[in-house]
Amino acid sequence: MAGALKKDRATGSANAITADLVAVLVAVTEGEPKIMTIANDGALPSGPFEFAHRSLQTGLRAWVEAQTGHPLGYVEQLYTFADRGRAGDAKSPHSISISYLGLTREDKVGQGFEAHWSGWYEYFPWEDQRAGLPASLAKTLASRLRAWAKSAENTGLQRQRWQRAAITFGLDDREWNEELVLQRYELLYEAGLIPEAVRDGAAATTVIPGKPMTGDHRRILATGIARLRAKIKYRPVVFELMPAEFTLLQLQRSVEALAGRLLHKQNFRRLIEQQQLVEETGAIAADTVGRPAKLFRFRHGVLAERAIAGTKLPLSRT
Amino acid sequence: MAGALKKDRATGSANAITADLVAVLVAVTEGEPKIMTIANDGALPSGPFEFAHRSLQTGLRAWVEAQTGHPLGYVEQLYTFADRGRAGDAKSPHSISISYLGLTREDKVGQGFEAHWSGWYEYFPWEDQRAGLPASLAKTLASRLRAWAKSAENTGLQRQRWQRAAITFGLDDREWNEELVLQRYELLYEAGLIPEAVRDGAAATTVIPGKPMTGDHRRILATGIARLRAKIKYRPVVFELMPAEFTLLQLQRSVEALAGRLLHKQNFRRLIEQQQLVEETGAIAADTVGRPAKLFRFRHGVLAERAIAGTKLPLSRT
DNA sequence: GCCATTTATACTCTCCATGAGTATATCCTG
DNA sequence: CAGGATATACTCATGGAGAGTATAAATGGC
């Protein structure tokens, strides 16, 4: 039956490649999103998929524990990358990167590892819009993007470039869309405005703030942030990042930290409560300014009760 | 800087593996969703990722064109699988499958290829709920699932199994959720109710209707259907599957075919029009019964104009 | 002890998208 | 010309989301 397949298949190891497993491991501490980094904050935890690994996830867990001492909890696959020329050195062997998103808490850090928690906005300063953009960054960013658009050959292409920049970065009175993390990074890469682009051969220009990473790790990080920002809207994944008990404001601050935007307090609470995602513990927060808040815990039951998925189709009842 | 990485990296080809590229290529013809199959309808188009391929997508396009004569248009990555024991023979080399979803139209089929368009509901009969479930299937399915739940060791596990079945299959007066394609397939696999499970070593039981596929191809297909069903709700991807001109009813029938559910006609039209996704061509459909309908075309402009992404967060304006 | 400050919590009000259904128009066929 | 079939235009009720006001309960400074 699969004859047609078999004869096309790899014979021996002519098409053998290596696969790297890469983890975007996220935590939120005191209202700041953090990611686990190694190699002097220049890389994400990663390692090759080996024959000994029973599955991709198993391999990933092994590497992350070995490099960071941190056990992996919630994990989901992100994307598989393989473009050459993005890997740092073009002569690298045929290698692909299979990336994962992991959610956890910052506690229980292992000792004796060269892993650190780094703020993710160090790598993507423009993604933090909670206090608006730092005035300096906002100005340089927009002018650099305009210069890039202008540098296109013809006016058609120029307009096209600017439209793309305006949409992804919310310029020209457009709305900021926090989910377009990857699109923004890709655009900056194409425009040669980040160190990785220069490293990979782009014309050397003045570069925009934001720490670079090895290989395509910052691109993978962008993918992870984008996925997480999209997912918190329709799945209760924030709770993987919260302590067992928390106040509603702490919950809100965490979501705001991830989304990079401020939320409307009253409406946020209404949303959480009507979805019955949390229940009161009975206890009350201590050591606070202002009126003390009730403590809540996540209702794990909801995960089993509902198969949460919003339909946006105008279904018919007949 | 990346020293810590390098010393962990694969040395030589000790960790060399092979990667298969697999395509779920979808078209909709006369209100029926089709997928491109090869090997006597038992496999999806696929082939190994080779050193000559410049990127994963390039490799995929090469294989699909070679095997089906059909050029690939819209493509997006689905998932990367690697579990052993799912591949058919457990002794297979360490191999992973990188899967893609492609959208196209059924026309322009190449000659001299052993590829076919197969209805996707042949592989997933229970996913077509447009006319309700075929009475026979509905009855057997529910009773088999109940038997599987009952076969658990203790009552706790039994209840847990039944709850899972009820949620994924919309039993016990629960709502049917068309997006849970993969969850349903995985459950049937675990329950040993499909041929692939028996092939991989499950206890031989009477099996449920639905054609099997090589390796984990049916699982990949389930992933593709699920992704497409989710995506048509928030991205205008249906148009990749439509001819240049179409009536609103044809469009509705296509969405219904993909979703496996019937839609409310008037509300569907309101939705399409208010989103300004289409514009009239001025022409009118010929060869129809009933009042002839206006023909529409997709407004490609919307893709550039809007960065479509629905926020579900209670944003603050300050 | 009073007051400014800070946070928590409870409501209100408006607008609009969505679900559901009714009414009318326009074609074809016998 | 009736009847069947489809297209298209409205109506109406409901509920969720955006935005804002009002009140409660703590702290610290004076």
Side-chain angles (χ1 to χ4, degrees), chain B residues 14 25 32 59 69 73 97 99 105 140 142 145 148 165 173 177 184 198 216 221 242 244 272 289 297 306 308 315:
Chain B
L25 185 54
E32 281 308 315
S97 303
S99 57
R105 289 165 212 97
T140 47
L145 289 173
W148 169 71
D173 289 319
N177 184 338
R184 284 187 280 268
V198 179
D216 52 359
L221 177 54
M242 301 296 295
I272 298 296
V289 274
R297 79 169 69 90
R306 306 197 311 237
I308 320 141
L315 293 178

Side-chain angles (χ1 to χ4, degrees), chain A residues 1-9, chain B residues 38-43 46 67 114 214:
Chain A
M1 169 166 119
L5 256 65
K6 282 278 157 54
K7 72 163 173 269
D8 289 337
R9 281 271 155 78
Chain B
I38 61 170
N40 209 18
D41 300 348
S46 66
Q67 290 177 2
E114 54 153 346
T214 322

